[in-house]
């Protein structure tokens, strides 16, 4: 039997390698994707997999693909699950699932495997993708089948000679990629417990953040950020840079109670400086370039998009339908947003666009006013007519 395992190099997925070998007598092939997790050394991870008996290892730098096909659509959709979480972890799962299926086909594998547990969102996202792309491919979730507790995992790792990571005593479960860092569990499970400062890796506290404001401009073309401070910049670089800049200003910390798709409420902490800055800028530019009706309707579409992405419905036809609508709206979303980064906030201080719907002649209060005040009177009469009639009837 041949199994392709989504392998991060961490303890849990290292255990999966051994477990799959023992339980299924399988040849395990690992697949590791670089999505901007930080100081990952792909070669190092491959060596670790080999030392644990992996028959073959794949590692791919998928950052460009992640930005182009996952983060950019999320930006265009202003994607925030329950109004706050930029779906950073969520949108990696369909990408990883897609490559699992691809490698499984290439290798003629019998199954694919992932290390997600039975009560989270990630198992659903992986498996929905895999089933959509290859309905007959067998899926194995060792952590779910085995009901692996922390203690049992460590026990098993010790007997199997799996290297125990230095931070093994950390009670937190974390996940990170270019678009954000997720932190959960341990003391955070008490919703009243204030997060300890040491859980944060990307952001400084407001107290310790820079004492001077920093001004930036972000340029968008058709809804996608393409420039920083008038220089053209590649998406991966832009996001890395904004994570760094924003983090130093204490921007992008989120502490929320979130509704998981399996029905549980959970307490989640996120650090997403770049996402906070870019989504804020993008939303503002839409308000300059889309009509009132478009903005209103798009809010509904956007929240649905975020929900589908969060719920693992990446291959649900509705998501593609929404993408078509969103892409159409983004035709006019080009321009520049100026922001002030300071003390935990990414404040918008200016915006301009060749497609702006802002009309100074209409807006101004000075003598250049082109707005016909006379029209207002009749307009108000008609606009209020239904209420007026109803009111008369009441009397
Ligand atoms: N609650 C977030 C989500 O469902 C983050 C999950 C983080 N995953 C993890 N293994 N720590 O998208």
């Amino acid at each position: 039997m041949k199994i392709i395992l989504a392998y991060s190099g961490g303890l849990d997925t290292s255990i999966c390698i051994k477990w799959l070998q023992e339980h299924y007598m399988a040849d395990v092939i690992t697949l590791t994707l670089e999505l901007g997790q930080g100081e990952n050394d792909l070669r190092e991870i491959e060596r670790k997999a080999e030392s644990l008996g992996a028959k073959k290892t794949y590692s791919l730098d998928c950052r460009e693909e992640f930005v182009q096909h996952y983060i950019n659509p999320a930006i265009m959709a202003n994607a925030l699950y329950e109004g706050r979480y930029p779906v950073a972890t969520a949108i990696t799962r369909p990408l990883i699932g897609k490559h699992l299926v691809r490698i499984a086909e290439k290798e003629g594998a019998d199954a694919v495997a992932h290390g997600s547990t039975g009560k989270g969102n990630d198992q659903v996202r992986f498996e929905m993708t895999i089933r959509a792309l290859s309905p007959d491919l067998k899926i194995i979730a060792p952590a779910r089948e085995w009901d692996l507790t922390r203690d049992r995992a460590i026990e098993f790792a010790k007997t199997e000679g799996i290297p125990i990571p230095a931070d093994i005593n950390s009670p937190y479960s974390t996940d990170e990629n270019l678009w954000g860092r997720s932190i959960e569990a341990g003391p955070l499970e008490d919703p009243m417990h204030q997060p300890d400062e040491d859980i944060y890796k990307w952001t400084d506290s407001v107290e310790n953040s820079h004492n001077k404001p920093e001004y930036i401009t972000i340029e968008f073309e058709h809804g996608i950020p393409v420039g920083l401070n008038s220089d053209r910049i590649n998406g991966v670089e832009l996001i890395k840079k904004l994570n760094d800049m924003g983090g130093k200003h204490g921007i992008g910390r989120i502490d929320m109670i979130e509704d998981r798709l399996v029905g549980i409420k959970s307490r989640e902490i996120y650090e997403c400086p770049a996402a906070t800055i870019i989504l804020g800028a993008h939303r503002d530019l839409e308000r300059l370039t889309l009509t009132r009706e478009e903005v209103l309707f798009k809010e509904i579409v956007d929240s649905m998009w975020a929900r589908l992405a969060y719920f693992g419905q990446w291959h649900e036809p509705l998501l593609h339908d929404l993408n078509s609508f969103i892409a159409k709206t983004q035709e006019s979303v080009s321009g520049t947003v100026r922001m002030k980064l300071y003390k935990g906030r990414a404040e918008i201080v200016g915006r301009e666009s060749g497609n702006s719907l802002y009309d100074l002649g209409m807006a101004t209060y000075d003598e250049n006013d082109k707005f016909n005040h006379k029209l207002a009177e009749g307009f108000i009469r008609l606009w209020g007519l239904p209420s007026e009639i109803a009111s008369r009837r009441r009397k």
Side-chain angles (χ1 to χ4, degrees):
M1 183 169 187
K2 206 191 248 186
I3 303 172
I4 317 294
L5 168 69
Y7 182 60
S8 70
L11 180 64
D12 294 343
T13 49
S14 293
I15 288 173
C16 289
I17 297 182
K18 285 282 179 193
W19 191 84
L20 290 170
Q21 286 165 348
E22 286 171 19
H23 268 71
Y24 289 89
M25 303 300 152
D27 284 346
V28 177
I29 297 176
T30 59
L31 168 65
T32 307
L33 304 190
E34 168 68 86
L35 298 171
Q37 297 92 322
E39 317 82 43
N40 255 334
D41 182 342
L42 291 176
R43 294 287 147 261
E44 194 61 45
I45 293 175
E46 289 192 65
R47 268 196 295 276
K48 188 168 175 186
E50 278 159 14
S51 77
L52 296 171
K55 281 280 168 328
K56 194 166 174 180
T57 60
Y58 282 88
S59 61
L60 310 166
D61 182 351
C62 292
R63 286 175 298 180
E64 293 290 344
E65 182 184 6
F66 183 39
V67 170
Q68 251 194 53
H69 298 293
Y70 298 81
I71 294 179
N72 283 344
I75 294 171
M76 294 192 278
N78 299 310
L80 292 173
Y81 177 66
E82 295 187 332
R84 301 190 68 196
Y85 164 45
V87 298
T89 298
I91 54 175
T92 63
R93 282 14 187 177
L95 169 55
I96 299 170
K98 179 183 115 181
H99 285 283
L100 274 176
V101 169
R102 186 175 64 81
I103 301 292
E105 277 165 6
K106 179 170 166 213
E107 290 285 341
D110 308 282
V112 293
H114 63 78
S116 302
T117 66
K119 63 191 292 185
N121 297 319
D122 290 330
Q123 52 171 345
V124 184
R125 299 168 180 153
F126 278 130
E127 296 182 27
M128 301 258 295
T129 302
I130 295 160
R131 300 203 71 83
L133 298 177
S134 183
D136 298 322
L137 187 58
K138 185 176 164 62
I139 303 169
I140 304 170
R144 190 172 60 201
E145 270 181 53
W146 192 13
D147 199 10
L148 202 57
T149 62
R150 200 78 197 144
D151 290 342
R152 258 150 90 196
I154 295 168
E155 181 82 22
F156 182 80
K158 280 185 182 148
T159 57
E160 296 286 339
I162 297 167
I164 308 280
D167 66 348
I168 188 67
N169 290 318
S170 162
Y172 303 107
S173 163
T174 60
D175 179 71
E176 60 184 78
N177 63 63
L178 281 172
W179 203 229
R181 180 164 178 265
S182 314
I183 310 132
E184 54 189 23
L188 300 171
E189 288 174 358
D190 173 1
M192 191 58 178
H193 176 84
Q194 181 179 351
D196 299 282
E197 198 48 39
D198 65 2
I199 68 165
Y200 297 107
K201 232 173 79 185
W202 292 8
T203 55
D204 289 329
S205 65
V206 168
E207 290 87 336
N208 290 328
S209 67
H210 274 341
N211 280 320
K212 270 223 200 100
E214 191 168 357
Y215 287 88
I216 60 167
T217 58
I218 303 179
E219 290 86 42
F220 287 86
E221 267 173 28
H222 308 303
I224 292 166
V226 295
L228 179 65
N229 299 330
S230 309
D231 291 328
R232 261 203 105 87
I233 186 167
N234 149 286
V236 174
E237 291 313 313
L238 172 70
I239 293 166
K240 273 175 28 189
K241 209 157 183 167
L242 289 179
N243 274 330
D244 196 48
M245 287 168 103
K248 294 198 170 95
H249 288 284
I251 292 163
R253 288 188 179 183
I254 300 161
D255 176 342
M256 69 185 278
I257 301 293
E258 174 179 303
D259 289 284
R260 287 194 189 168
L261 75 94
V262 293
I264 305 170
K265 279 195 191 290
S266 74
R267 202 278 187 87
E268 305 280 331
I269 307 289
Y270 300 106
E271 292 184 277
C272 1
T276 301
I277 295 169
I278 293 171
L279 292 174
H282 179 263
R283 232 179 295 120
D284 189 83
L285 192 59
E286 283 192 338
R287 299 200 67 90
L288 185 69
T289 54
L290 300 183
T291 65
R292 176 176 65 191
E293 313 311 316
E294 285 180 301
V295 169
L296 186 67
F297 188 71
K298 189 163 180 293
E299 274 171 18
I300 301 169
V301 171
D302 288 350
S303 68
M304 194 65 201
W305 194 99
R307 192 184 152 96
L308 290 167
Y310 183 89
F311 283 7
Q313 292 166 285
W314 197 257
H315 294 277
E316 159 61 48
L318 176 61
L319 190 79
H320 299 275
D321 302 338
L322 299 186
N323 279 334
S324 305
F325 167 80
I326 291 170
K328 184 77 180 66
T329 62
Q330 300 303 294
E331 286 174 4
S332 49
V333 186
S334 302
T336 300
V337 178
R338 185 155 181 267
M339 298 175 104
K340 173 182 169 185
L341 312 183
Y342 188 55
K343 294 291 171 200
R345 292 192 56 204
E347 199 181 334
I348 288 139
V349 294
R351 68 289 276 161
E352 65 182 5
S353 166
N355 304 324
S356 173
L357 295 173
Y358 182 86
D359 184 331
L360 185 61
M362 289 292 143
T364 187
Y365 284 98
D366 71 17
E367 68 276 11
N368 297 317
D369 189 358
K370 302 271 183 315
F371 183 77
N372 186 344
H373 294 236
K374 298 272 167 330
L375 291 178
E377 196 188 332
F379 165 73
I380 297 164
R381 293 288 297 273
L382 294 186
W383 180 241
L385 193 55
S387 316
E388 195 182 313
I389 294 170
S391 182
R392 282 184 205 284
R393 185 186 58 189
R394 236 181 297 130
K395 292 206 186 96

